[in-house]
Amino acid sequence: SYSARNNVTLLNHATLEDAQTFYGNFKTIMLQLAEIIRVLHECGIVFSDLSPGNLILVPDTLELKIIDFEGAYEIGVDNPGQLFTPGFAADQMFGRNSTFESDYFSIGAIMHFFLTPVNQIFMINPRARYTFIENVTRDIGFPRSIGELATALVDKAPEKRPTPSHVIDVLMRD
């Protein structure tokens, strides 16, 4: 709901200041998300069902919390489940077990959702996500690297998806 209430793409007459504020908040939130997933992965945990419904954002401080670990599993300890949210999972949609790279995809899908909450349409037309992210990031003045990052995160090939550490590096640089 935070994105819906504060999204610069929904403003009729957005100013440069609106876009800068939105970008700053986007970075703050996405940095936290990438860090949370990085730490989980360091502990050998795949979250599996990462979506906006499993995130709580404290509006006043922009502190991000992750909830609903029922789909998470520890590699080598637990059996992976098939719990996922359509539009925020790729590998699980094809019956594959979730991996670290599946969580990377979910980070990218959440970035898309934060910018334009239309992830369900990607179920119908998966290629549309690339058009959306390129146009939205350009139109609101985000650095090109952010659009490229979000696009790389949702790549069909899991091995091409950037790690959370790479996400953090890009967000800190731009």
Side-chain angles (χ1 to χ4, degrees), residues 152-170:
L153 284 162
V154 296
D155 197 291
K156 287 191 311 187
E159 67 278 2
K160 292 184 179 178
R161 299 175 193 154
T163 66
S165 293
H166 181 80
V167 171
I168 292 166
D169 288 345
V170 170

Side-chain angles (χ1 to χ4, degrees), residues 1 3 7 52 88 108-119 122:
S1 65
S3 178
N7 198 316
F88 297 91
I110 290 169
M111 285 182 174
H112 280 256
F113 185 81
F114 193 88
L115 295 169
T116 56
V118 294
N119 289 53
F122 303 145

Side-chain angles (χ1 to χ4, degrees), residues 1 10 28 40 48 66 85 87 92 99-100 110:
S1 65
L10 301 176
T28 297
L40 285 174
S48 295
I66 192 168
T85 302
Q92 303 94 308
T99 62
F100 290 154
I110 290 169

Side-chain angles (χ1 to χ4, degrees), residues 29-46:
I29 294 164
M30 295 306 145
L31 279 166
Q32 290 176 83
L33 179 60
E35 179 62 15
I36 289 168
I37 296 305
R38 187 190 68 72
V39 169
L40 285 174
H41 290 181
E42 277 184 359
C43 296
I45 297 170
V46 176

